[in-house]
Amino acid sequence: MNRKLSTTTDEQIETEKSTLQFFSETIEVNRLSAMAFFEAGEGSFVNQRYYWQNREKTFTLVGLGHAYTITSQSKDQRFDDVEQQWKRLTQHIVTNEKTLHPILFGGFTFDPENGILDEWGDMPSAFFTVATYQLVIRNNHIYISTNYVAERENSDLLKRLTIKRDELIDRAQVKALKTYVKPKVKSSFEPYKKEYLESIHQVTSLIRRKEAEKVVIARSLVLKFEEAVSSSNILSQIISEQPESYLFGLEYKGKLFFGASPERLVKVENSYAHSSCVAGSVKRGKTPEEDEALGKDLLNDAKNRVEHQYVVEMIGHTFKENCASYHIPSEPQLLKIRDIQHLYTPVEGQLKDDATILKLVKTLHPTPALGGVPRMKAMEVIRKYEPINRGLYAAPIGWLDTAGNGEFAVAIRSALLHQDEAFLYAGGGIVADSEPQSEYEETLVKFRPMIRALGGQLHE
């Protein structure tokens, strides 16, 4: 059932194409909680689950088990690798009349050239999976697809999978959702705080010498819990705490990468693309009056407007290259979420015939809001001065289907859970006049969503 396809020879590719078929069967169910379905896989599919919900709450996706995984270790071709492997896998699909377009879910690491060995372990530069059991909730309809990949149709296997599917549905419908309490934090520490502050000095000096215009530097914060924390507990916390964001969780080898991101990288629906320019931020006010004043200051702040314009220009260029027509508003607006408000400009356009969602993801990542300007120089500087490996943090995470639709968020406001520890990540854009202490304090604001969800203390 769990077949894995990585970089292969041409001969192997032809063998795969001629022998593997994708079998998918979908049923519609009347009543089912996405979180209950995720919980139902606790015993049988631990380390093989994912969760996704878009910001508008119009599309929810849960996966249990790995019917097929697609990975890439390539530094330069990973986006193309995933696209080509997905196309090969879905050339031969056998479905029933109700079957939804099969979905591939996963993410890319921020920088496959980062050689720091840390909590991410052997995470490949791209990791995607087709779930054995895929739940989709869309427009108040609930569907569950059963997927398997094999050389030929296997009725006995499908029967066993169907029995298991019905058990999962029954468990999710009948068993009450667990009531979780927030994890108890025993201690916390900031790895490489000194190195982070020093990196700001180094990068600002470099920018003043005109070697770059802007570089994003990130850091981490580690929370240690009194006991191991489950994926279901963590997801229930972020669903409760950050409902206005993209909510995601991806299990990989005993770890859970999860987050509540405000930022869409790109969405494609019926060949129409949407993206979001999100850069420049300030905290929320304690009163409506203070909140409005902070928002106005953000809209008029020269440093934040310059940072935002870098993103608008870069995403606008990508849409110009890939769209027959596109639209960008002339001025940003405010995107307000629970702990922070951002400058925000939506971008949309009609795709050209040869454009795909993964081509857009490849071109857009990393945006100036997560990497810097110019892009390649900023990445060189990050590799030299940033003390951590970002892993999946600040990278594209999301889904695509066989019809060319899909959506990817930028995986910020995120963390990596491993048993009784959580590694939180946050960063900020460094320009010529950036000050280490103020940049450090800005990252504290960005840590708040995850700190709150994980039961840590917020130091106002």
Side-chain angles (χ1 to χ4, degrees):
M1 280 300 299
N2 183 11
R3 302 177 65 92
K4 187 174 182 180
L5 180 64
S6 298
T7 305
T8 56
T9 65
D10 289 343
E11 183 178 352
Q12 288 172 320
I13 288 171
E14 290 305 315
T15 300
E16 290 280 1
K17 286 169 61 176
S18 63
T19 60
L20 290 182
Q21 295 186 77
F22 190 140
F23 298 90
S24 185
E25 180 177 283
T26 299
I27 62 170
E28 185 171 356
V29 296
N30 293 323
R31 180 183 59 83
L32 195 63
S33 155
M35 194 61 222
F37 192 67
F38 185 90
E39 275 187 4
E42 193 79 45
S44 305
F45 301 105
V46 65
N47 299 327
Q48 293 188 347
R49 295 176 295 171
Y50 64 75
Y51 184 98
W52 166 274
Q53 188 175 70
N54 65 1
R55 195 171 58 206
E56 299 79 14
K57 306 297 169 273
T58 57
F59 182 78
T60 303
L61 179 65
V62 175
L64 305 180
H66 292 169
Y68 200 91
T69 58
I70 291 177
T71 67
S72 175
Q73 292 287 7
S74 171
K75 295 178 180 179
D76 303 319
Q77 301 297 321
R78 56 192 180 141
F79 301 96
D80 301 324
D81 275 355
V82 172
E83 183 144 51
Q84 290 164 10
Q85 292 178 50
W86 181 232
K87 285 182 178 178
R88 288 199 300 272
L89 176 64
T90 56
Q91 280 183 338
H92 308 287
I93 302 179
V94 180
T95 67
N96 65 356
E97 67 277 5
K98 293 183 180 180
T99 297
L100 304 179
H101 293 295
I103 289 174
L104 185 69
F105 181 86
F108 300 91
T109 59
F110 181 80
D111 179 14
E113 294 189 37
N114 185 305
I116 298 173
L117 299 176
D118 59 3
E119 63 270 12
W120 291 97
D122 64 349
M123 171 65 69
S125 64
F127 175 78
F128 285 80
T129 180
V130 176
T132 304
Y133 302 103
Q134 167 197 297
L135 176 142
V136 169
I137 302 177
R138 177 188 281 143
N139 300 324
N140 296 318
H141 289 272
I142 305 167
Y143 305 93
I144 294 181
S145 298
T146 303
N147 302 311
Y148 72 95
V149 177
E151 295 181 2
R152 61 187 62 84
E153 191 167 3
N154 187 327
S155 58
D156 289 337
L157 174 59
L158 180 59
K159 183 178 180 180
R160 293 196 300 272
L161 291 173
T162 300
I163 291 171
K164 182 65 175 179
R165 177 202 66 196
D166 292 342
E167 290 175 355
L168 291 166
I169 293 171
D170 181 71
R171 191 182 309 164
Q173 289 178 330
V174 174
K175 191 175 180 180
L177 268 172
K178 293 180 182 177
T179 301
Y180 293 104
V181 296
K182 287 188 178 181
K184 293 182 179 180
V185 177
K186 182 167 62 175
S187 61
S188 65
F189 65 98
E190 300 175 57
Y192 313 114
K193 179 180 177 180
K194 180 181 177 181
E195 291 86 347
Y196 167 80
L197 292 170
E198 178 59 28
S199 73
I200 308 302
H201 284 295
Q202 299 286 352
V203 173
T204 52
S205 297
L206 180 149
I207 292 172
R208 292 189 192 109
R209 296 195 302 269
K210 309 298 183 183
E211 295 182 36
E213 296 178 52
K214 171 192 171 182
V215 179
V216 178
I217 297 295
R219 70 184 186 94
S220 60
L221 169 68
V222 181
L223 301 181
K224 182 80 172 180
F225 304 110
E226 291 186 357
E227 59 185 13
V229 184
S230 72
S231 297
S232 297
N233 189 348
I234 290 301
L235 287 177
S236 70
Q237 301 299 338
I238 66 166
I239 290 168
S240 173
E241 294 281 353
Q242 300 291 330
E244 70 274 38
S245 302
Y246 287 95
L247 304 174
F248 57 86
L250 175 63
E251 292 184 329
Y252 179 79
K253 292 190 175 180
K255 301 171 185 176
L256 172 75
F257 178 64
F258 67 97
S261 174
E263 185 173 349
R264 168 189 289 155
L265 182 63
V266 64
K267 174 184 178 181
V268 172
E269 186 172 19
N270 299 323
S271 297
Y272 201 79
H274 306 259
S275 188
S276 300
C277 308
V278 180
S281 60
V282 72
K283 66 181 180 180
R284 297 298 303 268
K286 295 180 180 178
T287 66
E289 294 76 17
E290 182 188 13
D291 195 61
E292 182 180 2
L294 287 168
K296 285 183 178 179
D297 288 345
L298 178 60
L299 286 167
N300 294 305
D301 182 76
K303 174 182 179 291
N304 281 290
R305 287 296 292 264
V306 168
E307 280 194 44
H308 188 76
Q309 191 59 30
Y310 284 139
V311 181
V312 172
E313 290 174 359
M314 180 269 196
I315 292 181
H317 177 74
T318 297
F319 271 60
K320 181 180 179 180
E321 293 295 312
N322 289 277
C323 293
S325 61
Y326 67 100
H327 173 71
I328 306 176
S330 59
E331 293 289 326
Q333 59 197 63
L334 292 174
L335 174 64
K336 295 175 181 272
I337 55 177
R338 180 169 182 176
D339 298 284
I340 195 168
Q341 46 190 322
H342 297 277
L343 294 178
Y344 164 71
T345 300
V347 184
E348 58 185 44
Q350 183 68 46
L351 288 181
K352 294 178 180 177
D353 290 343
D354 61 345
T356 67
I357 187 168
L358 286 182
K359 285 183 180 178
L360 288 171
V361 171
K362 177 182 180 179
T363 308
L364 290 170
H365 175 74
T367 70
L370 284 308
V373 179
R375 176 188 284 180
M376 297 310 295
K377 180 61 180 180
M379 293 298 287
E380 291 176 9
V381 174
I382 291 169
R383 291 178 193 127
K384 184 173 181 179
Y385 293 108
E386 191 171 88
I388 64 169
N389 184 344
R390 298 190 191 185
L392 292 172
Y393 162 70
I397 188 167
W399 64 275
L400 63 154
D401 67 17
T402 53
N405 303 310
E407 185 166 24
F408 282 79
V410 180
I412 56 175
R413 312 295 184 268
S414 56
L416 182 69
L417 175 71
H418 184 214
Q419 297 178 354
D420 62 348
E421 286 187 320
F423 300 81
L424 285 60
Y425 307 94
I430 310 305
V431 293
D433 60 351
S434 294
E435 298 178 354
Q437 188 60 34
S438 64
E439 294 298 331
Y440 172 81
E441 291 171 2
E442 182 179 329
T443 61
L444 290 177
V445 174
K446 294 175 179 177
F447 278 133
R448 284 178 184 169
M450 291 299 102
I451 291 175
R452 178 183 285 112
L454 292 168
Q457 296 298 312
L458 297 170
H459 301 290
E460 301 293 345

